[in-house]
Amino acid sequence: MKLSESQTINVDAATVWAALLDPDVLKACVPGCTEMAGNADDGFTATVVQKVGPVKATFKGIVTLSDRVEPTSLTITGEGKGGPAGFAKGGADVRLEPDGESTVLHYAVEAKVGGKLAQLGSRIIDGFAKRMAEEFFSNFKDAVEGPGGDDAEADDDAPKRGWFKRLTS
């Protein structure tokens, strides 16, 4: 499965870059991630619980960041084993493009599965992989710039806009 999309994030490229290297941000953004440890230089270990069609599995694996060209591009690669459910491999080539005070994040994702997961059929797997990629990058945008809209700022219980940017300033 291959997917290419882009998303505009309303913060500068340096802030987006810092978030891409932060294990806490990545853990919060990966759907189903229960654990993430490590660092951007040595790689991360992660545990992700997901249900794909009728198959629910806990994947334990590694995530590496390579081909880093600060602050414009990098490749995120992950590989996990889910026991009897099989395995999942994937990666995303990420490119950041400054656009005034915003950043356009372009991503090209590729995913592969094996074992019981592969028996589900390509339509189910492709749909799941697309949803996971879209959810990750949507979560990432929210983590970096905060939920948008005036309603979020007016609500005291809502997460504050731009919390990650304040942490890196």
Side-chain angles (χ1 to χ4, degrees):
M1 190 282 316
K2 293 183 181 183
L3 167 72
S4 295
E5 296 284 335
S6 63
Q7 192 164 84
T8 300
I9 301 175
N10 295 317
V11 297
D12 60 282
T15 301
V16 175
W17 181 262
L20 285 168
L21 304 181
D22 187 306
D24 294 330
V25 173
L26 294 176
K27 178 184 177 192
C29 297
V30 173
C33 186
T34 58
E35 293 178 41
M36 185 167 293
N39 61 60
D41 293 328
D42 300 326
F44 304 99
T45 58
T47 301
V48 176
V49 178
Q50 278 297 328
K51 185 173 185 207
V52 184
V55 179
K56 182 176 181 182
T58 299
F59 293 90
K60 293 186 181 273
I62 57 170
V63 177
T64 56
L65 305 177
S66 60
D67 302 326
R68 295 192 318 201
V69 180
E70 187 175 344
T72 59
S73 64
L74 59 77
T75 299
I76 302 170
T77 307
E79 182 175 339
K81 295 181 180 169
F87 69 88
K89 289 182 183 183
D93 291 320
V94 178
R95 185 172 50 87
L96 305 178
E97 181 181 305
D99 184 20
E101 294 183 19
S102 298
T103 303
V104 179
L105 184 149
H106 300 277
Y107 59 93
V109 176
E110 186 169 358
K112 296 177 185 173
V113 297
K116 279 187 184 178
L117 290 175
Q119 297 171 2
L120 293 174
S122 64
R123 270 180 60 191
I124 291 173
I125 298 300
D126 289 354
F128 173 77
K130 181 178 186 211
R131 183 174 51 85
M132 287 285 289
E134 289 171 348
E135 194 172 332
F136 171 83
F137 285 105
S138 176
N139 291 347
F140 183 79
K141 178 180 177 169
D142 289 346
V144 176
E145 71 178 21
D150 296 331
D151 296 338
E153 291 178 11
D155 184 356
D156 289 337
D157 294 331
K160 299 300 181 209
R161 186 169 172 77
W163 65 268
F164 183 78
K165 185 173 182 178
R166 285 197 304 273
L167 287 176
T168 60
S169 298

